[in-house]
Amino acid sequence: MMMHAPVVLWAVALSTIASVAAFNPIASTYATSQRITSSVALYSEPQTDDCEGDDGGRRLFLEGAAIAAAASAASSFALGPTIGSASAASTSDQPICVIGCNGRTGTEVVSYCLTKGIPTVAASRGGAYNAKDDVVTSSNSKLLKEMVCDVTVASTVEAAVAGSRGVVFAASASKQGGPPSAVDNAGLVSAAKACIDAKVPHLVIVSSGAVTKPSSPVYQFLNLFGKIMEEKIKGEDEVRRLYAEHNSGSENKLTYTVIRPGGLTLDPPRGADAVELNQGDTKSGRISRADVAALCIESISYPELTGGTTFECYDADTGAPLATVGLSNIAKKKTDGEVFVSGKERRGATYKELFSGLEGRYVQG
């Protein structure tokens, strides 16, 4: 029987990783991904000790270039109510807390906040924002507050999110921070509980494309890394359950948004009009971390459109079905939407237009 190209690619990468995954598969696959990704110049950047949000497997496959290196070496939604725009405006002087601020995406989220003049809590295990010298200026320095937040220690999460108008969960498994079960699942759930207890209006979660499609090559490859895809979807689903439970018995309605990026790059942001949103987890592509950061913060600005929703995001001209997106990402191919149309695509010249019409949001009646 002939194998499809993405499956062949997955099998080659699998054999490479299996050769080093002796008695400690999680540690060995993380270490392998770090060696592979560090050798790829296309998406290289300085590594930090605090690499929250940079789960090696996800970057390895969806960034495309890292998969190429590996190969050569070897929704149904539970609805969450939204917060009305007037209510959101009344909290505009409160900060947005970024958990995992020293991951590559988390760093961009903090930078976007400060550029927009938004008070920001940069939360990390070490308690320092590592990109401060590059991002913080004399004009925005008073907007930044650094705090300790280890998602495996609930008390630090509770302290970090207290008083926030929004929280962005950009943390993910790493050698320093813990395995996917502790970070992408239990850590996310801990953050959601803390947000609910503190009555934070909006939690935004940076998850992963293909997380609901265990038969896809993307899922199968990434799940080698500590079963990260299994843990991510478990965390997502528990967040939905927690918010549904809270909102069913409380007049103080809170909400969440789950963002599932495609392959993350270090390219400059292209803006709202270049991005495509999708739902149903059938299509992906490439997108810059800076554009994901913008989606996170702009989602908090439009809770009436994004509250209770889950969506995929990628550059519109890179969109492809999950079966072939790995190969198109490797080749940095532009597809211009011709390869596959799901029927759930969302485009817009502004973020408000981009978010309009998302399914799964709660409509107050």
Side-chain angles (χ1 to χ4, degrees):
M1 181 176 66
M2 182 175 295
M3 296 179 69
H4 292 295
V7 178
V8 174
L9 179 60
W10 172 84
V12 174
L14 172 59
S15 65
T16 303
I17 292 174
S19 67
V20 297
F23 297 105
N24 190 345
I26 295 177
S28 59
T29 49
Y30 284 168
T32 301
S33 71
Q34 291 295 322
R35 288 195 296 273
I36 293 171
T37 53
S38 65
S39 69
V40 181
L42 182 60
Y43 295 116
S44 63
E45 64 177 284
Q47 297 295 312
T48 64
D49 290 334
D50 190 358
C51 53
E52 297 154 310
D54 287 339
D55 50 284
R58 170 178 161 72
R59 314 313 175 212
L60 182 64
F61 191 91
L62 285 180
E63 282 178 1
I67 309 176
S72 65
S75 170
S76 61
F77 313 122
L79 303 185
T82 65
I83 307 301
S85 56
S87 178
S90 67
T91 61
S92 61
D93 58 335
Q94 295 177 282
I96 289 176
C97 175
V98 183
I99 298 176
C101 70
N102 287 327
R104 296 174 184 176
T105 301
T107 295
E108 294 288 352
V109 176
V110 174
S111 177
Y112 189 85
C113 284
L114 296 179
T115 299
K116 294 291 185 179
I118 299 171
T120 308
V121 174
S124 65
R125 290 188 312 277
Y129 178 50
N130 293 342
K132 185 162 55 176
D133 291 344
D134 298 323
V135 173
V136 178
T137 65
S138 57
S139 62
N140 65 25
S141 60
K142 293 183 178 179
L143 296 174
L144 180 67
K145 180 179 181 180
E146 299 164 291
M147 290 192 69
V148 171
C149 180
D150 183 336
V151 298
T152 66
V153 182
S155 60
T156 67
V157 181
E158 293 163 1
V161 306
S164 298
R165 66 180 170 105
V167 170
V168 177
F169 187 91
S172 192
S174 68
K175 290 184 293 183
Q176 293 82 7
S181 59
V183 180
D184 299 79
N185 184 355
L188 171 59
V189 172
S190 178
K193 289 179 177 177
C195 287
I196 291 171
D197 290 344
K199 297 180 173 55
V200 175
H202 203 149
L203 169 64
V204 176
I205 301 157
V206 181
S207 186
S208 176
V211 74
T212 68
K213 305 297 181 182
S215 63
S216 70
V218 176
Y219 183 108
Q220 291 177 18
F221 184 85
L222 295 184
N223 208 45
L224 294 171
F225 297 82
K227 296 186 177 180
I228 191 167
M229 299 297 266
E230 291 181 36
E231 300 300 339
K232 281 183 180 291
I233 192 58
K234 287 178 183 176
E236 279 191 24
D237 287 343
E238 180 60 11
V239 168
R240 295 186 183 96
R241 189 195 70 78
L242 287 170
Y243 275 83
E245 180 180 75
H246 168 80
N247 290 324
S248 67
S250 174
E251 293 183 0
N252 186 10
K253 307 299 184 183
L254 307 174
T255 198
Y256 67 88
T257 301
V258 179
I259 297 178
R260 295 171 172 168
L264 295 168
T265 76
L266 301 178
D267 295 340
R270 297 178 64 185
D273 60 348
V275 173
E276 183 171 277
L277 306 185
N278 216 311
Q279 293 184 288
D281 206 14
T282 60
K283 188 174 181 179
S284 192
R286 299 183 302 281
I287 187 169
S288 74
R289 296 175 189 273
D291 278 322
V292 174
L295 288 169
C296 289
I297 301 308
E298 297 297 337
S299 290
I300 295 174
S301 298
Y302 296 101
E304 71 279 7
L305 300 177
T306 65
T309 67
T310 298
F311 58 82
E312 296 78 57
C313 59
Y314 46 86
D315 288 344
D317 56 9
T318 69
L322 294 183
T324 61
V325 69
L327 292 178
S328 64
N329 280 354
I330 288 172
K332 296 197 293 183
K333 182 180 178 182
K334 295 295 182 69
T335 63
D336 294 319
E338 297 175 358
V339 173
F340 172 69
V341 176
S342 72
K344 298 292 182 68
E345 288 82 1
R346 296 288 173 191
R347 298 290 305 276
T350 66
Y351 287 104
K352 184 175 183 180
E353 291 179 4
L354 187 63
F355 296 142
S356 296
L358 285 171
E359 296 178 0
R361 68 190 189 283
Y362 178 83
V363 179
Q364 294 176 328

